[in-house]
Amino acid sequence: MTAGTVWCHFVLLLLLSIASLWAAEISCRNEDGETVDWFLLYKLPKHTEGESAGLGLEYMYMDSLTHAWQLSKYLVNMTQGALGQTLKQLYETYEPKNNSIAYAIYNDEIPHSKSSNWKKGHTKGFLLLDKSQGFWGIHSVPLFPPFLEDGYAYPPSGKPYGQAAICITFKYDQFTEIDQQLLSYNPSIYNCSIPNIFQADLPNLQKLCAGSELPSVTQRHLSKLQSAHGETFLHFAKSHLFVDDIYVAWIAQELKTDLLVESWQHSGHRLPSNCSLQYHVYNINLIGTPLNSTFYSINDHSKWCVSRIYEDQWTCIGDLNRAAEQAWRSGNEHGRNAAQQTETITTIVFLAAHQLAFPFTVKRSEGLEKQEQRGLAGETKKKTQKREQENWRRKL
Ligand SMILES: *[C@@H]1O[C@H](CO)[C@@H](O)[C@H](O)[C@H]1NC(C)=O
Ligand SMILES: *[C@@H]1O[C@H](CO)[C@@H](O)[C@H](O)[C@H]1NC(C)=O
Ligand SMILES: *[C@@H]1O[C@H](CO)[C@@H](O)[C@H](O)[C@H]1NC(C)=O
Ligand SMILES: *[C@@H]1O[C@H](CO)[C@@H](O)[C@H](O)[C@H]1NC(C)=O
Ligand SMILES: *[C@H]1O[C@@H](CO)[C@H](O)[C@@H](O)[C@@H]1NC(C)=O
């Protein structure tokens, strides 16, 4: 072999190992299985207005590369879609067991389980990482994702209603911050592995995973997280000690913007739009998709918000509803009063929202105009109407 061919082989080997390293990188994945900084997924409800029922598995997809919503060519139960491609990395860790990988999946409604632990947070998500990087997903789907031994699937109960999910890729150092945030809302982790090499950086996750006693927490904590590609996200974590509507009492005032909020409003304790504080919060009533179909909030289980003024450019997505407390949580074994049982919640808010804004058009609850006009002193009715029409038409 000449020096030239040796060199050639060396370069080839180097390229091959770089390629395999690249492929092994734990990351959110797009619909082609490629690594992506973040993605959003909005599964459409089975019933949309004026159209025949779908399967309840179709979804809109957007990521840091496309920056635009597209109807996916896959169904959400298929492994080829972004959620399937991303979680594939998780299911692949089942066998063989890998002690350099940590993961946790949590949900207040656990697969195969009829009981819920009301002491845990009302929160749903998954994370997978090694000492280099990983991803964190937050979503609204009950009983999801399946246990590792069961492999990827989408629960039939998640079909009728709209659902949303976000996945963000983070470098390893951000997970110590995420570990702190998770402590605040005490997620119900049902499948996990936090090997000892992570103990120093993820102490809370390890305790949560082992089901051991946790240290006490603060009422709420706001954290600034940086995605792998350097986009900034704000994460609002509230513990059970913060007994208030997170959207009104915290997020809107913190972001200094009026918010339009979409959330599950079936509970008897649904909260009306609220203009009491400086920045107002309005419930969304009707949602228009980029496909020009519409659906009512009553058919949607997703939880997200956008700033009322488009230019403010805030979008949030999370796992909390605007409900004083969910009725079925009252009277639990501790006999605490209703106010103390307010849900534990997490919500992610995008800082760099210029690329992230939901291009879904939204219409607020009917009959709120009066309330809003009172809140908008000085603005004429005509102006309000005009702005309202623009709001409705504009692509959020
Ligand atoms: C997804 O759901 C559709 C409709 O119920 C079904 O026909 C299909 O077999 C499912 N695919 C997977 C991979 O489960
Ligand atoms: C275990 O995970 C590490 C880090 O992601 C990876 O480099 C390694 O190849 C994995 N080992 C096995 C046996 O899969
Ligand atoms: C609006 O929300 C704030 C904060 O939760 C609360 O103090 C106030 O009573 C609410 N106003 C109305 C009219 O419900
Ligand atoms: C939605 O409606 C707009 C305006 O009428 C039109 O330009 C656009 O092509 C429609 N989009 C789809 C996907 O039908
Ligand atoms: C889920 O995690 C895997 C690997 O971490 C374990 O092997 C399973 O036993 C576990 N499943 C349950 C039901 O705890």
Side-chain angles (χ1 to χ4, degrees):
M1 225 190 281
T2 64
T5 51
V6 170
W7 178 241
C8 215
H9 282 212
F10 177 69
V11 169
L12 193 67
L13 264 178
L14 199 67
L15 281 176
L16 283 175
S17 53
I18 286 171
S20 59
L21 268 182
W22 191 255
E25 206 173 44
I26 300 175
S27 173
C28 302
R29 305 255 161 188
N30 68 12
E31 306 257 287
D32 296 319
E34 294 160 354
T35 62
V36 69
D37 198 37
W38 54 262
F39 72 72
L40 294 178
L41 187 150
Y42 203 152
K43 190 203 73 72
L44 301 169
K46 193 162 182 166
H47 295 278
T48 50
E49 296 308 304
E51 287 185 28
S52 52
L55 291 167
L57 294 166
E58 297 86 353
Y59 64 93
M60 307 293 299
Y61 172 83
M62 156 196 245
D63 66 28
S64 50
L65 299 172
T66 64
H67 286 186
W69 289 101
Q70 292 167 329
L71 181 66
S72 173
K73 56 179 183 280
Y74 304 113
L75 299 172
V76 75
N77 65 343
M78 296 165 79
T79 49
Q80 295 99 317
L83 209 48
Q85 296 268 13
T86 301
L87 288 173
K88 186 167 162 241
Q89 302 164 90
L90 173 65
Y91 292 105
E92 278 170 353
T93 66
Y94 180 46
E95 306 267 30
K97 209 169 149 56
N98 189 333
N99 277 327
S100 25
I101 291 181
Y103 86 93
I105 47 186
Y106 55 92
N107 201 311
D108 53 296
E109 293 172 77
I110 299 171
H112 315 309
S113 163
K114 289 203 175 69
S115 63
S116 287
N117 185 346
W118 302 131
K119 284 193 273 177
K120 299 279 184 171
H122 182 269
T123 177
K124 311 176 203 299
F126 47 81
L127 43 90
L128 177 74
L129 61 139
D130 61 18
K131 282 253 174 166
S132 154
Q133 64 171 39
F135 59 78
W136 186 18
I138 291 175
H139 64 90
S140 65
V141 189
L143 315 174
F144 180 86
F147 283 89
L148 253 54
E149 52 270 42
D150 294 340
Y152 183 79
Y154 186 81
S157 59
K159 289 187 197 177
Y161 300 108
Q163 306 282 1
I166 179 174
C167 180
I168 307 172
T169 308
F170 292 107
K171 293 282 181 215
Y172 182 66
D173 63 342
Q174 297 296 288
F175 284 95
T176 40
E177 187 73 26
I178 292 170
D179 177 77
Q180 273 297 320
Q181 293 292 90
L182 286 170
L183 175 65
S184 300
Y185 53 85
N186 195 11
S188 170
I189 294 180
Y190 56 91
N191 209 186
C192 54
S193 165
I194 312 289
N196 281 333
I197 57 159
F198 296 97
Q199 191 170 19
D201 300 322
L202 311 175
N204 299 312
L205 259 170
Q206 201 177 49
K207 287 196 193 90
L208 281 164
C209 182
S212 36
E213 202 63 35
L214 291 169
S216 57
V217 294
T218 52
Q219 287 199 355
R220 55 177 171 171
H221 194 254
L222 176 59
S223 163
K224 205 181 248 191
L225 298 171
Q226 203 116 65
S227 70
H229 285 196
E231 290 215 44
T232 305
F233 293 82
L234 290 188
H235 183 257
F236 293 79
K238 103 171 192 53
S239 79
H240 65 287
L241 301 170
F242 182 75
V243 186
D244 214 333
D245 175 354
I246 194 176
Y247 290 105
V248 176
W250 191 13
I251 301 176
Q253 314 311 316
E254 181 76 38
L255 300 179
K256 302 193 181 345
T257 186
D258 293 349
L259 291 177
L260 305 176
V261 177
E262 170 64 356
S263 77
W264 181 249
Q265 296 272 278
H266 288 233
S267 129
H269 297 268
R270 58 173 303 216
L271 294 173
S273 296
N274 184 314
C275 302
S276 297
L277 303 184
Q278 185 178 2
Y279 295 99
H280 304 168
V281 167
Y282 303 91
N283 292 333
I284 289 169
N285 182 41
L286 184 67
I287 296 138
T289 74
L291 303 171
N292 295 341
S293 61
T294 58
F295 55 87
Y296 283 98
S297 181
I298 203 85
N299 289 318
D300 194 9
H301 188 252
S302 67
K303 300 114 186 24
W304 52 269
C305 68
V306 287
S307 51
R308 186 172 63 87
I309 311 289
Y310 179 64
E311 288 69 29
D312 282 357
Q313 296 286 309
W314 285 102
T315 300
C316 76
I317 184 161
D319 44 25
L320 100 129
N321 299 312
R322 292 204 66 227
E325 53 122 350
Q326 308 226 326
W328 62 82
R329 288 204 169 179
S330 58
N332 72 14
E333 70 272 29
H334 290 273
R336 294 181 305 173
N337 70 38
Q340 284 176 325
Q341 287 170 32
T342 302
E343 288 179 63
T344 320
I345 279 148
T346 167
T347 295
I348 271 212
V349 169
F350 301 95
L351 243 185
H354 52 284
Q355 310 117 323
L356 299 162
F358 266 65
F360 283 69
T361 46
V362 295
K363 199 170 196 305
R364 293 192 309 273
S365 305
E366 314 294 348
L368 285 169
E369 286 75 13
K370 270 204 196 100
Q371 198 183 347
E372 187 196 3
Q373 275 164 36
R374 258 187 270 127
L376 292 165
E379 200 168 9
T380 65
K381 192 173 177 202
K382 210 168 163 195
K383 223 166 137 191
T384 310
Q385 276 171 349
K386 184 160 172 272
R387 199 202 45 247
E388 217 165 283
Q389 282 163 3
E390 280 165 3
N391 261 350
W392 172 233
R393 255 192 258 112
R394 81 180 194 228
K395 295 285 176 196
L396 276 172

